[in-house]
Amino acid sequence: MNETESVNGGMSLSTGKLSDLGNTINSLPAIEKGRSLGLTKKKAVSLFAPDVKSNRITITSDERGLVISLAADNFFEEGSADLNIDETRETLLRLSDFFKDPELKNRRFRIEGHTDNTPVAADSKFISNWELSAGRAMNVLHYLADFGVDENKFSVAGYADTRPKFSNDSPETRAYNRRVDIIILDEGHF
C-alpha cells in the first residue's frame, strides 16, 4: 500500500486493490439483506409503538433476524396457553397485518414459546413447561392465521425455560423470561 499525504494533513490510501475492497464488501448480498431488515425493524417499531410503550412487546434483532417478543403476562394467564384475546386483539391484528406486508412476502418466520423455571401446577393440563411453551406458540400462530396470515410461512418451537433472557432469581426477571418470540428469519436461518 502506498501512502499519500492528503491536503487536510492526514494520510490516505492511494487507489489500488485494497482501496477497492470497501466497495466490494458494500456490494455483497448480506449488506442488502441487512438493510431490508433494518427497514422492516423501523416499520415494526413505528407500528407497534403503543405496544412497546406499554411493555407488551419488545423489538430487537439478533443473529436469527428481527425478534418481536410478546410479554406472556399480557397475552396469557399464568400457566395457560389460552390468549387473552379481549385484551390483545388489537395487537394481534397489527401483527397479522405486519406479517402480510408485501415487503415480507419472501421471508419465513418462527414463533418460539418460552417460560420461566417455575414448574407447571399439578392440576395443569400441561405436563411440563415444554408443552406450555409450545402451546402458547401454537395459539399465537392459530390466531395470526385466523386473521389471514399464511401459516405455511411459519415454524413453531417451544423452549420451556432453556433460553432465559435473564436469571430466574426474582419475579420481575421471571416475567421477562415468560414470552413468545416471533422472529422474521434472516435468509441464513430458513
Side-chain angles (χ1 to χ4, degrees):
M1 294 192 305
N2 296 329
E3 292 182 341
T4 60
E5 261 186 71
S6 73
V7 178
N8 296 333
M11 302 296 279
S12 65
L13 293 176
S14 62
T15 304
K17 289 182 181 178
L18 291 177
S19 65
D20 290 335
L21 182 60
N23 294 331
T24 303
I25 289 173
N26 283 333
S27 66
L28 291 175
I31 297 295
E32 210 42 55
K33 287 189 305 188
R35 284 190 190 122
S36 67
L37 269 183
L39 294 173
T40 301
K41 183 175 183 178
K42 285 181 183 178
K43 184 179 252 184
V45 167
S46 173
L47 182 65
F48 301 113
D51 302 295
V52 170
K53 188 175 183 176
S54 66
N55 293 321
R56 284 182 182 216
I57 287 180
T58 57
I59 299 171
T60 57
S61 55
D62 63 21
E63 70 282 353
R64 299 169 297 170
L66 181 66
V67 182
I68 300 171
S69 296
L70 313 179
D73 291 355
N74 287 302
F75 289 84
F76 304 95
E77 295 296 325
E78 186 176 342
S80 172
D82 297 329
L83 278 159
N84 296 332
I85 196 67
D86 293 334
E87 295 178 28
T88 60
R89 181 178 187 75
E90 293 303 315
T91 301
L92 292 168
L93 283 169
R94 277 194 297 280
L95 280 166
S96 66
D97 288 343
F98 179 71
F99 290 116
K100 291 185 286 187
D101 189 304
E103 291 179 21
L104 297 176
K105 71 177 182 176
N106 295 322
R107 292 281 180 181
R108 306 269 312 156
F109 313 101
R110 184 170 56 231
I111 303 176
E112 300 176 348
H114 301 271
T115 66
D116 62 20
N117 64 349
T118 305
V120 296
D123 61 348
S124 173
K125 69 178 184 178
F126 299 101
I127 298 168
S128 70
N129 279 328
W130 289 100
E131 288 81 7
L132 175 60
S133 63
R136 286 179 172 175
M138 285 299 304
N139 282 340
V140 169
L141 175 59
H142 290 311
Y143 272 97
L144 292 176
D146 288 347
F147 295 141
V149 170
D150 180 4
E151 64 185 331
N152 293 320
K153 296 176 79 173
F154 287 80
S155 58
V156 173
Y159 289 107
D161 63 339
T162 63
R163 297 186 181 183
K165 281 187 169 183
F166 302 99
S167 71
N168 282 297
D169 296 339
S170 71
E172 293 80 18
T173 56
R174 283 193 295 275
Y176 283 110
N177 293 333
R178 294 187 300 270
R179 67 194 188 279
V180 173
D181 291 339
I182 307 173
I183 301 128
I184 301 169
L185 295 169
D186 183 46
E187 290 178 15
H189 285 83
F190 280 8

